[in-house]
Amino acid sequence: MRQLPIIFKREFSSFFATPLAYVFLLIFLVLSSVFTFYLGGFYESGQANLNPFFNFHPWLYLFLVPALAMRMWAEERKSGTIELLMTLPITRFESVVGKFLAAWVFAGIALLLTFPMVLTVNYLGDPDNGAILTGYVGSWLLAGAYLSVGSCMSALAKNQVIAFILTVSVCFVFVVSGFPLVLDAFNGWAPQWLLDAVASFSFLTRFQAISKGVIDARDLLYFLSFIAAWLMATAVMIDLKKAE
């Protein structure tokens, strides 16, 4: 664990070494504002809350977060620096977690930069700031779930574009797994416990519960377990692909 801060610092600073960080932040902030105040019907609702802001996050992250994660390992493999990284006196755990935490903290910074929206709704009315806080927590956990999948897909693919497409595809499955349209495909032949299991894996179901102001330990455990599982899969994938 001694090398974890070094890996974190290296990866975090690399975001700002290219225009990627600034482009990501700009796109995220602009789209968040557009979705909230225009497409989300903020003014039409007549209520001072950030529900329109959080409702779009699963779909906004579906394309933005994979773009953030696709370079994690694919770039290392393409440039050949992964061989050097593997020879350093660091554990696989430190390298995987360090890269992930750097991207997760960066995503958290992007979220914090939307704080003027909180000031706006408080100026316009009397919102439930507790629900807003839990919404931010849920959004950060959601971003972490997307990033953990992206980390594994980036370790799997040498090409960043392929890693992006794979991440979007896998995350899309986890987003829509709780949709009635998906559950109807199982209805009639699958037992109820299977339907409940498929629905329980939905990002959307878990995130909406938290963003409404209710933090259930089961939802927190789901996201943290999900992240841990995909990070372990990343470590396995790196070992399998290191000879290529």
Side-chain angles (χ1 to χ4, degrees):
M1 295 294 289
R2 291 177 299 176
Q3 304 299 324
L4 183 59
I6 298 176
I7 296 295
F8 172 84
K9 183 178 179 180
R10 169 183 178 267
E11 293 301 317
F12 187 75
S13 60
S14 69
F15 283 115
F16 297 94
T18 66
L20 174 65
Y22 307 101
V23 172
F24 178 89
L25 292 173
L26 178 62
I27 293 176
F28 176 73
L29 294 175
V30 169
L31 290 181
S32 294
S33 300
V34 170
F35 288 156
T36 301
F37 296 109
Y38 296 97
L39 300 181
F42 177 82
Y43 299 109
E44 291 80 356
S45 67
Q47 297 180 348
N49 59 57
L50 286 183
N51 288 341
F53 171 66
F54 293 119
N55 287 343
F56 281 101
H57 278 200
W59 308 106
L60 189 59
Y61 287 164
L62 187 59
F63 296 99
L64 289 184
V65 174
L68 190 65
M70 65 183 185
R71 59 181 291 277
M72 277 187 186
W73 294 102
E75 185 178 1
E76 297 274 11
R77 292 180 61 204
K78 184 178 180 180
S79 62
T81 55
I82 190 170
E83 286 81 5
L84 176 62
L85 184 62
M86 294 298 103
T87 60
L88 296 177
I90 57 175
T91 65
R92 192 77 73 251
F93 172 82
E94 289 173 334
S95 58
V96 170
V97 175
K99 281 176 169 288
F100 168 78
L101 287 179
W104 202 15
V105 169
F106 179 77
I109 291 174
L111 268 176
L112 288 177
L113 289 177
T114 64
F115 187 72
M117 290 189 181
V118 180
L119 299 179
T120 300
V121 295
N122 275 275
Y123 175 77
L124 295 175
D126 186 24
D128 183 352
N129 286 308
I132 291 176
L133 178 60
T134 59
Y136 271 96
V137 171
S139 183
W140 192 53
L141 289 171
L142 182 66
Y146 279 78
L147 283 170
S148 64
V149 174
S151 175
C152 185
M153 295 301 106
S154 183
L156 173 65
K158 191 173 183 178
N159 186 285
Q160 293 188 37
V161 176
I162 295 177
F164 173 83
I165 295 173
L166 289 174
T167 305
V168 172
S169 301
V170 173
C171 290
F172 179 75
V173 171
F174 280 101
V175 170
V176 303
S177 63
F179 274 39
L181 182 63
V182 175
L183 297 178
D184 288 343
F186 293 87
N187 199 17
W189 62 270
Q192 185 60 42
W193 65 265
L194 181 58
L195 290 173
D196 294 337
V198 172
S200 68
F201 280 105
S202 173
F203 286 165
L204 206 58
T205 303
R206 302 285 183 173
F207 172 65
Q208 286 178 342
I210 296 177
S211 63
K212 289 179 180 178
V214 180
I215 296 185
D216 193 314
R218 291 172 295 183
D219 295 328
L220 293 178
L221 182 62
Y222 167 79
F223 279 114
L224 294 177
S225 300
F226 186 93
I227 291 170
W230 281 95
L231 291 183
M232 286 189 288
T234 301
V236 172
M237 198 59 61
I238 291 170
D239 286 331
L240 293 175
K241 294 286 185 176
K242 65 182 179 181
E244 297 184 7

